Amino acid sequence: MFSRSRILASVLRRPRQLGSYQLRWSSHCATPPQPSFPCVDAHAARETRLIAESASRSPGAASRPSEDSGPEPPYARPNPLSYNVYHHPRPFPLTYSASLPSFDIAYETWGTLSPTRDNVILLHTGLSASSHAASTSLNPSPGWWEKFIGPGRALDTSQFFVICSNVLGGCYGSTGPSSIDPTTGQRYATRFPILSIFDMVKAQFALLDHLGVDHLYASVGSSMGAMQSLAAGWLFPHRVGKIVSISGTARSSPGSIAMRYAQRSVLMADPNWNNGFYYDGLPPHTGMKLARQIATITYRSGPEWDLRFGRKLHDTGLKDESQKTPKLCPEFLIETYLDHQGEQFCLKYDANSLLYVSKAMDLFDLTLPAIKQLGLSPAQKAASQLTPSPEEAQTMALLKSHPPPANPPPHLPDLAEGVRPLASIPTLVLGVQSDILFPVEQQREVVDALRMAGNWRVSYFELGGVWGHDTFL
C-alpha cells in the first residue's frame, strides 16, 4: 500500500504533466454555455431601470420629501387631492414607546353625516390597503371594497356615513416609517416606533373626535381590520354600537405569525433594504416581491388554484409542448400568477410599512394576561344594556351557561376574561371555511370567548367557497 505522503510527493513532482494535461483539455473542449434565467434577469433589469430613473432626477430630488416621493412611484399612491388628512398636532402616546410628536391620518368618506352624528360606520382596512375603499367623485377608480359600499349595499350610504382611513404606520397618506420626523427633518425609516393595533385604533378615534363623532353605529373590519374592529370595541365600549369581525382573530396564532415572519425575513435580507434606510437609494424591490408571493399563498387556497390553474403550463408558443425542456424559472400557470402578484406589489407599498404593520398584527392578543402586561384598560365602561325582549331573554338564559367547545384551546378562558369589555356590544363574526391565514377555528374561538364572557348577542356565520382569506374582498 502507498502512504499518503508518497502519493502527495509524486503528485508534487509532476506539475508540468498536470499543466500540459490541462492545456490539452482546454484546447479540445469549448467552454459550456452559461444557463439563462430570465426570472432572475428581470430583477436586475428592474434595478437598472430604477438606477437610471434615479440618475435622471435633478440633484437632491431623491432626498427631498413630498407627498408622492419615496420608494413607491407616485402612480401607485392615491392622489393626495383625492383624500382628506387629519393632522394631530400633539404628542400621541403609544403602547410600546413613549409617543409620536404628531401624526397624520388619511381618510375618505361616503354618504351623509346625520344631524345627530349617530349614523357613522368606521371601516378598518387590512394590512396594505389605502383609505380608498370605494369610488368617490374625487377618485372614481374602484376601491378595495367597492361591491359593499353604496346605496342599498351592505354598508348602505343612503342610511350611513362611512369613514375609512389608512392606518397609522401605513404609507398612503398616514404617518409611517416613510414620513418625515418633525423633530429631525428626516424620514423616520426604522427609527419609527413599534406600533400596536391599539395605537392604530386610538389614532382613528382621534380622527372621530376631530369630526365630532362621539358614537359609532358600527365598527367593521376584515383581516387586520377585524382585529381593529374588536380593539375599537374593547378600548371604547361606550362609543361602539356594533362590531363586525370578518376573517380576523382576537389573538394572533403561531401559524399566522410564522407566515408573516417569513415575509419580513426575505424582505430584510434584500441588500437594498439597508436596515430600513433606503429612501435616498434603491428600494428593496426583490425582497418585496418575494414577500408578496409568500403572502399571496396565505391569502388564497389550494382548491381555488386547482380549479383555476391546475397543472397547466404557461403558453410558450411551441406547437409541440412535448419538445419543451423544463426550466427553473416560472412555467406552471400558478408560478406565473405568483410572479405577477409580486411584480404588481413590489414598488407600490413601502417596505418598512410592511414590516411595522405586519408586526403589529403579530403582537395583537386580547387574552387577559397579555392585556395586563401592556397595562391597558378601556376608556370607559360600556353603556348599559337595553332590557331584552322575551325572545332575547330566552337566548340570554341559554348562553349564560354556554359551555366551552369540546376541545377548547388552553388560552380560551384567558381570552374570555380579556374580552369582557365587549360583553354588551352586539357582534357579528364571519369566517371562511377555506381560509388558511385566519382559519375558521379562530373565528369560532372569538365567538366562544364572547359568549363565555356573557355576550348573548353574538351572531356567527361561516362562508363557503374556495377563495381563501381573500373571500372578504
Side-chain angles (χ1 to χ4, degrees):
M1 295 182 65
F2 295 98
S3 68
R4 281 180 292 179
S5 59
R6 290 181 60 187
I7 294 174
L8 178 60
S10 64
V11 170
L12 292 176
R13 284 196 297 269
R14 292 184 294 171
R16 293 180 179 275
Q17 294 175 0
L18 286 172
S20 61
Y21 175 78
Q22 291 170 344
L23 289 173
R24 288 197 302 272
W25 173 264
S26 62
S27 64
H28 290 288
C29 299
T31 302
Q34 291 294 315
S36 173
F37 299 102
C39 52
V40 177
D41 296 339
H43 301 316
R46 185 193 301 111
E47 187 136 318
T48 300
R49 173 174 59 81
L50 292 171
I51 293 173
E53 290 174 355
S54 177
S56 67
R57 298 191 192 113
S58 59
S63 60
R64 185 172 58 247
S66 69
E67 279 292 332
D68 52 8
S69 62
E72 55 288 313
Y75 61 80
R77 293 171 176 259
N79 187 321
L81 298 178
S82 69
Y83 55 76
N84 304 298
V85 177
Y86 161 64
H87 177 68
H88 189 80
R90 300 176 300 281
F92 181 68
L94 300 172
T95 304
Y96 298 104
S97 304
S99 65
L100 276 173
S102 62
F103 68 84
D104 290 340
I105 287 290
Y107 69 98
E108 296 179 47
T109 64
W110 302 262
T112 303
L113 185 62
S114 66
T116 54
R117 300 175 184 262
D118 60 354
N119 67 332
V120 176
I121 293 177
L122 180 60
L123 176 61
H124 309 274
T125 73
L127 187 154
S128 59
S130 71
S131 60
H132 191 61
S135 54
T136 64
S137 58
L138 295 176
N139 186 354
S141 61
W144 57 267
W145 238 34
E146 186 75 23
K147 297 178 181 179
F148 298 91
I149 301 173
R153 294 178 176 173
L155 303 190
D156 190 346
T157 52
S158 63
Q159 301 181 54
F160 303 112
F161 184 65
V162 181
I163 303 173
C164 181
S165 74
N166 180 223
V167 296
L168 189 67
C171 58
Y172 292 135
S174 295
T175 296
S178 60
S179 302
I180 300 298
D181 180 351
T183 63
T184 65
Q186 299 178 341
R187 295 188 187 273
Y188 281 105
T190 44
R191 287 187 289 258
F192 196 74
I194 295 294
L195 296 174
S196 72
I197 297 293
F198 299 106
D199 297 329
M200 297 175 182
V201 171
K202 287 178 180 178
Q204 292 166 338
F205 273 74
L207 166 63
L208 294 178
D209 292 339
H210 168 71
L211 297 175
V213 175
D214 183 63
H215 189 267
L216 292 175
Y217 177 82
S219 171
V220 178
S222 305
S223 188
M224 186 184 80
M227 296 178 174
Q228 296 172 71
S229 188
L230 291 170
W234 194 94
L235 286 168
F236 305 99
H238 62 296
R239 298 181 64 177
V240 177
K242 301 174 191 284
I243 292 173
V244 178
S245 170
I246 306 171
S247 297
T249 184
R251 171 186 176 273
S252 278
S253 69
S256 63
I257 292 172
M259 292 175 183
R260 287 186 290 270
Y261 168 73
Q263 297 171 47
R264 292 195 297 271
S265 294
V266 296
L267 170 53
M268 295 169 74
D270 188 323
N272 288 346
W273 181 62
N274 192 33
N275 289 336
F277 293 86
Y278 52 81
Y279 295 105
D280 293 333
L282 294 176
H285 53 91
T286 299
M288 281 290 279
K289 177 178 178 178
L290 298 176
R292 186 63 170 185
Q293 289 179 350
I294 295 172
T296 302
I297 293 172
T298 71
Y299 296 158
R300 312 308 285 253
S301 80
E304 179 206 358
W305 285 338
D306 203 32
L307 291 171
R308 186 173 173 184
F309 303 114
R311 289 182 51 84
K312 293 179 183 178
L313 299 174
H314 176 62
D315 184 10
T316 60
L318 294 176
K319 293 183 179 180
D320 186 0
E321 287 290 332
S322 65
Q323 302 300 314
K324 180 181 177 182
T325 302
K327 302 290 194 303
L328 293 177
C329 281
E331 293 186 302
F332 288 99
L333 284 183
I334 182 58
E335 293 177 315
T336 59
Y337 172 75
L338 289 176
D339 188 72
H340 172 74
Q341 290 295 313
E343 287 287 345
Q344 288 291 101
F345 186 76
C346 68
L347 291 174
K348 287 186 177 181
Y349 194 74
D350 179 39
N352 283 336
S353 281
L354 179 62
L355 298 177
Y356 277 82
V357 177
S358 70
K359 186 67 177 183
M361 295 177 71
D362 291 353
L363 295 170
F364 188 60
D365 186 350
L366 282 179
T367 59
L368 186 60
I371 294 295
K372 285 184 174 180
Q373 188 174 20
L374 296 178
L376 293 173
S377 60
Q380 283 181 261
K381 291 184 178 180
S384 58
Q385 293 183 348
L386 298 174
T387 303
S389 66
E391 294 79 10
E392 290 174 329
Q394 184 178 8
T395 303
M396 185 177 179
L398 290 172
L399 291 179
K400 277 186 174 179
S401 59
H402 176 76
N407 297 298
H411 59 266
L412 184 58
D414 284 337
L415 184 59
E417 290 299 315
V419 299
R420 283 200 181 278
L422 305 175
S424 62
I425 305 176
T427 303
L428 169 64
V429 179
L430 296 178
V432 177
Q433 292 172 349
S434 56
D435 192 342
I436 63 172
L437 184 59
F438 293 98
V440 288
E441 288 78 16
Q442 293 184 35
Q443 322 308 318
R444 297 170 187 165
E445 182 178 284
V446 173
V447 173
D448 288 329
L450 287 171
R451 288 176 175 169
M452 291 169 64
N455 191 327
W456 51 275
R457 292 187 290 181
V458 180
S459 302
Y460 176 56
F461 297 93
E462 287 183 7
L463 306 178
V466 297
W467 301 281
H469 184 65
D470 274 356
T471 296
F472 77 84
L473 293 173

